Amino acid sequence: MSEINSFPQTLTIAGTDSGGGAGIMADMKTMQECGAFSTAVIVAVTAQNTLGVQDFQALDPKLINEQFSSINGDFKIRACKTGMLADAEHVSIVVDNLKKYDFGPLVLDPVMIAKGGAQLLSDEGINTIKNDLVKLSELITPNIPEAERLADCEIKNKDDMLLAAKKIKEMGAKNVLIKGGHSESLEVNDLVLLDDESHFWMKSKRVDTIRTHGTGDTISSAIVSRLALGDDMKSAILYGKDFVEAAIKNTIQVGHGHGPLNHWAYNAGGNNNEI
Ligand SMILES: Nc1ncnc2c1ncn2[C@@H]1O[C@H](COP(=O)(O)OP(=O)(O)O)[C@@H](O)[C@H]1O
Ligand SMILES: Cc1ncc(COP(=O)(O)O)c(N)n1
């Protein structure tokens, strides 16, 4: 007999992307492909396309609280993530709601600057993430510039990445994934530092493309989905890396700038064959 809410459900707490490639749109497409039912709390709305972010506005706190309450009142969320949170006030609203409700393990994607250069989180917002949100996270997934800001250090090589990951873990994140997409090497190296202090690297060939809009949203959402489906953290992270790799390799031609990923690619066998 089926039971209400037995299906794996996830929650993304982030900003929208009118261009469909990043933010909540990328999160929900990824979660769908990964076999989870996704819900969303919209924190900010952006006017955005593959050429950049033209404008954005964060939502009224009351409406954000109501979205959290609506989701809590009906669904059983097994894992959640945060993305673009705009400013300190909105980070604090999210912190309060995550303390109030049980939405399962939190994957914190500390989105700061969009690929096109727009600042999606204020400096004060970064401090509030460091002080209040990091300690609620089961996993934090900064890219290299975000890890530099969080750990307050410069990252030039793999040793620096490991040092930064250790500093971020000391702030209270249980597990840390530093994504290597912003390095200059031909090989992309993502670092994972696990709760038990062990670490490993996820290596892939750099794909020569500017169509990398929403890579961070995609890997973190794939991880959240797998956690909701019952994977342990390490398996979920390895799955997320495979998922995003397929989505980057199998380019789709959409938009004139930093185009979106191919979210169908993984399920279409996109890590084995070009599709
Ligand atoms: N050009 C690329 N080729 C292959 N993998 C990439 C490329 N760019 C990013 N990735 C991968 O995509 C994921 C997101 O990385 P990154 O771009 O650093 O994050 P963000 O989107 O948050 O800036 C990582 O797993 C990274 O290794
Ligand atoms: C609403 C929203 N969330 C996240 C990103 C980051 O994605 P990217 O770094 O690929 O621009 C974005 N551009 N917009």
Side-chain angles (χ1 to χ4, degrees), residues 16-22 25-26 29 46-52 54 213 254-255 258-260:
T16 63
D17 170 5
S18 52
M25 283 67 175
K29 288 177 201 182
T46 73
Q48 182 173 184
N49 55 27
T50 67
L51 299 170
Q54 288 78 44
H213 186 41
V254 175
H258 290 287

Side-chain angles (χ1 to χ4, degrees), residues 125-134 149-152 171:
I126 296 174
N127 289 335
T128 314
I129 284 187
K130 283 171 79 163
N131 295 333
D132 301 333
L133 189 55
V134 169
R149 277 307 295 268
L150 293 170
D152 203 12
M171 289 173 195

Side-chain angles (χ1 to χ4, degrees), residues 117-211:
Q119 190 164 352
L120 300 179
L121 178 67
S122 66
D123 289 341
E124 266 307 299
I126 296 174
N127 289 335
T128 314
I129 284 187
K130 283 171 79 163
N131 295 333
D132 301 333
L133 189 55
V134 169
K135 51 174 91 78
L136 302 184
S137 69
E138 198 70 23
L139 173 68
I140 184 167
T141 63
N143 61 25
I144 288 175
E146 289 159 355
E148 288 180 325
R149 277 307 295 268
L150 293 170
D152 203 12
C153 65
E154 213 182 332
I155 297 179
K156 291 202 188 116
N157 52 41
K158 287 167 73 177
D159 289 343
D160 294 342
M161 276 173 90
L162 186 54
L163 269 177
K166 287 181 175 165
K167 278 179 107 175
I168 294 167
K169 193 167 182 301
E170 275 165 21
M171 289 173 195
K174 282 214 180 62
N175 301 274
V176 182
L177 161 59
I178 302 187
K179 301 165 294 187
H182 293 248
S183 75
E184 273 156 22
S185 58
L186 286 176
E187 223 175 55
V188 187
N189 286 292
D190 292 3
L191 167 67
V192 180
L193 177 60
L194 292 171
D195 198 16
D196 64 5
E197 308 293 337
S198 66
H199 74 273
F200 63 95
W201 295 90
M202 300 190 294
K203 198 163 70 172
S204 56
K205 220 172 93 187
R206 180 175 294 281
V207 180
D208 185 16
T209 177
I210 61 158
R211 298 184 179 278

Side-chain angles (χ1 to χ4, degrees), residues 15-17 22-23 46 48 84 111 113-115 120 212-215 217:
T16 63
D17 170 5
T46 73
Q48 182 173 184
M84 173 190 179
V111 173
I113 300 192
K115 293 263 152 52
L120 300 179
T212 55
H213 186 41
T215 46
D217 307 281

